[in-house]
Amino acid sequence: MSGEPFDLVVVGGGPGGYVCAIRAAQLGLRVACVDRREGLGGTCLNVGCIPSKALLHASHLFEQARHGLARFGVRVGEPVLDLEATMAYKRKVVEDLTRGIAFLFRKNGVTHVRGEGRIAAPDRVEVTTPEGETRTLATRRVVIATGSVPATLPDIPVDEKSIVSSTGALDFPRVPERLLVVGAGYIGLELGTVWRRFGARVTVVEYLDRILPGLDGEVARLMHRLLGRQGLEFLLGHRVRAVETRDGALEAVVAPRDGGAERRIACDAVLVAVGRRPYTEGLGLAALGIETDARGFVPVDGHFRTRVPGILAIGDVIGGPMLAHKAEEEGMAVAEFLAGGHGHVDYDVIPAVVFTRPEVASVGRTEEALREAGIPYRVGRFPFSANSRARTTLETEGFVKILAEEGTDRVLGCHMVGPEVGVLIQEVATAMAFGATSEDIARICHPHPTLEEAVREAALAAWSKPIHV
Ligand code: FAD
Ligand code: NAD
């Protein structure tokens, strides 16, 4: 241990950790950020948000070239997928962005330490470098931002070749002919979509009776129908009991959840996408007296403090929505607390987007949650089939649904399926953050012809009456 102690050592360089480190440095603290990966950016940049969105984009273009252009009068020959080039493009995007964070660290004076971090004491982090050396960082505070890893199923061991987690499914060397996906959540639908567009026959096995648990039920039902029409086959209320190898090919043994005859599904690859679990291995939490909860999350109070003074935690490792922007918000808030200010995360306004086509976007409470809480609400709904811009691009599937509190008209939630709804949702999130009513949104002039007008019309429908439907 040498020199002045750091004010803050952040363990984990994902969207929670790196944002926390940069913000704390901007606010005048002396900061180090430890991550074991070669590239900064954590799960999100290396094996999550960014590579998956690159493949979603490339596969969308491929599908457009195959089936989507002729209806606009644009004729092209049969496109050819050069998967190696697609993967090279994806890698370049990831590399550029991870290098970008290293640049931001230098610009803001954050010390980047590569290696495995262990919190030896509240004022000491030991780092084992890739070369096997140990470096000790003295510090006043520690933030745990070690994120999450894919959850696994005991009877389906992942080898990241033919039985893969999301990490392997971002890197298939060739398009599997038949892909079996376990879990119809974010990853199952996004990566299932990618490989279907590239030519795989995709079957999604989901334990529950619905897809996208946690999101609005009406949204999930519509997406089930639309993705089914695109060629994803769903087996709801089923689980994969085992995956066996027969004559060099895989066979999944799929059982109805509530009993009944099993069936065998032949496939070339299996993607296990049944959620993610918090990651704290090797951090030394037990020795410090920090007990994780039953699901492995690090418990924190409203200021992100663990039970050990000087040690805080943020991001996927503390639970809540496992989303990059939620981790970033918490990183900002912690940095502000530690620099003597007042951090704040508005957990009622965390948008969520599923980047299929059409996209799904959501913010605030669902109808199910409002009903369960006994909160009376009105629904304003507007279909994209009645939006002029959506008609020009022939993307008319879906709707915007705004939920406003009966009596006060305050917007409590918004759920969308449709083109670019991952962008449209932010207008409603911003409005909600300011406590807006549906009338407030409806009375704001929206440019024409845009998809944004569908948001205004849904707000009009919640407050009074829509014009165009
Ligand atoms: P992480 O990003 O997991 O970062 C933690 C980092 O800490 C990792 O780099 C890890 O190696 C490092 N680490 C752990 N332990 C140690 C240790 N002891 N020493 C040193 N380093 C350590 N979210 C979205 O909002 N939008 C999306 O579109 C989206 N797409 C996704 C797609 C996929 C395929 C996946 C898997 C996830 C996606 N997510 C998305 C979720 C998002 O990636 C996570 O919510 C986010 O990365 C969590 O950030 P974090 O900082 O908490 O942790
Ligand atoms: P998920 O929680 O979204 O979905 C997992 C699905 O698997 C659920 O529908 C669950 O019911 C099902 N399931 C669980 N056990 C099962 C079993 N034994 N058999 C069949 N089905 C089973 O998890 P995910 O898709 O793995 O993604 C992990 C997290 O990563 C997401 O929750 C999300 O927070 C984040 N993520 C976000 C994005 C995005 O923001 N666009 C994209 C990808 C991942």
Side-chain angles (χ1 to χ4, degrees), residues 266-348:
C267 52
D268 306 290
V270 175
L271 161 59
V272 180
V274 295
R276 293 180 61 79
R277 63 174 177 83
Y279 185 81
T280 54
E281 273 155 43
L283 260 186
L285 294 190
L288 291 161
I290 298 176
E291 268 180 42
T292 53
D293 72 13
R295 295 167 61 204
F297 293 109
V298 176
V300 291
D301 67 11
H303 288 199
F304 306 99
R305 292 176 295 214
T306 67
R307 64 188 296 260
V308 174
I311 303 181
L312 301 92
I314 56 169
D316 279 9
V317 79
I318 65 165
M322 287 183 158
L323 297 172
H325 43 282
K326 174 266 195 189
E328 289 188 32
E329 283 301 290
E330 292 173 345
M332 294 275 289
V334 158
E336 285 166 6
F337 280 131
L338 294 181
H342 294 280
H344 176 66
V345 179
D346 185 348
Y347 287 102
D348 291 333

Side-chain angles (χ1 to χ4, degrees), residues 81-372:
L81 176 66
D82 180 349
L83 190 59
E84 226 171 274
T86 303
M87 292 297 175
Y89 136 79
K90 178 205 70 175
R91 268 196 304 278
K92 167 103 173 59
V93 171
V94 168
E95 279 163 17
D96 286 353
L97 283 171
T98 54
R99 268 204 301 274
I101 296 174
F103 162 77
L104 293 175
F105 272 12
R106 286 194 298 277
K107 180 177 163 195
N108 289 284
V110 175
T111 303
H112 174 200
V113 183
R114 170 132 190 246
E116 189 79 31
R118 187 177 72 87
I119 308 170
D123 61 355
R124 215 167 67 239
V125 174
E126 277 180 13
V127 183
T128 309
T129 66
E131 295 75 35
E133 284 158 17
T134 304
R135 188 171 160 193
T136 302
L137 310 173
T139 184
R140 297 195 166 87
R141 302 269 196 284
V142 179
V143 167
I144 301 168
T146 48
S148 63
V149 292
T152 49
L153 294 171
D155 300 322
I156 313 180
V158 164
D159 60 17
E160 296 299 9
K161 287 190 172 68
S162 52
I163 303 182
V164 298
S165 71
S166 51
T167 303
L170 291 166
D171 245 344
F172 282 135
R174 67 193 77 81
V175 179
E177 223 171 277
R178 297 156 303 177
L179 172 65
L180 186 109
V181 177
V182 191
Y186 282 76
I187 291 176
L189 299 191
E190 288 188 355
L191 295 182
T193 292
V194 163
W195 293 105
R196 183 202 59 72
R197 289 175 184 159
F198 281 150
R201 288 211 316 273
V202 178
T203 304
V204 184
V205 180
E206 164 61 48
Y207 187 74
L208 301 175
D209 291 321
R210 56 165 293 174
I211 67 170
L212 293 174
L215 292 182
D216 183 87
E218 187 183 0
V219 161
R221 282 191 296 278
L222 177 61
M223 285 307 287
H224 183 196
R225 217 172 52 242
L226 296 178
L227 292 174
R229 222 188 282 157
Q230 291 174 13
L232 285 190
E233 193 189 328
F234 288 100
L235 275 177
L236 303 185
H238 280 72
R239 67 188 185 91
V240 179
R241 197 177 52 70
V243 179
E244 294 169 2
T245 311
R246 269 206 189 175
D247 305 329
L250 296 178
E251 228 175 47
V253 185
V254 179
R257 181 195 53 206
D258 302 326
E262 289 183 350
R263 72 170 94 168
R264 291 177 164 267
I265 300 179
C267 52
D268 306 290
V270 175
L271 161 59
V272 180
V274 295
R276 293 180 61 79
R277 63 174 177 83
Y279 185 81
T280 54
E281 273 155 43
L283 260 186
L285 294 190
L288 291 161
I290 298 176
E291 268 180 42
T292 53
D293 72 13
R295 295 167 61 204
F297 293 109
V298 176
V300 291
D301 67 11
H303 288 199
F304 306 99
R305 292 176 295 214
T306 67
R307 64 188 296 260
V308 174
I311 303 181
L312 301 92
I314 56 169
D316 279 9
V317 79
I318 65 165
M322 287 183 158
L323 297 172
H325 43 282
K326 174 266 195 189
E328 289 188 32
E329 283 301 290
E330 292 173 345
M332 294 275 289
V334 158
E336 285 166 6
F337 280 131
L338 294 181
H342 294 280
H344 176 66
V345 179
D346 185 348
Y347 287 102
D348 291 333
V349 190
I350 309 259
V353 181
V354 187
F355 292 89
T356 46
R357 295 264 171 159
E359 289 179 349
V360 175
S362 164
V363 63
R365 307 232 218 156
T366 60
E367 286 203 62
E368 290 81 1
L370 290 173
R371 277 202 295 271
E372 200 178 309

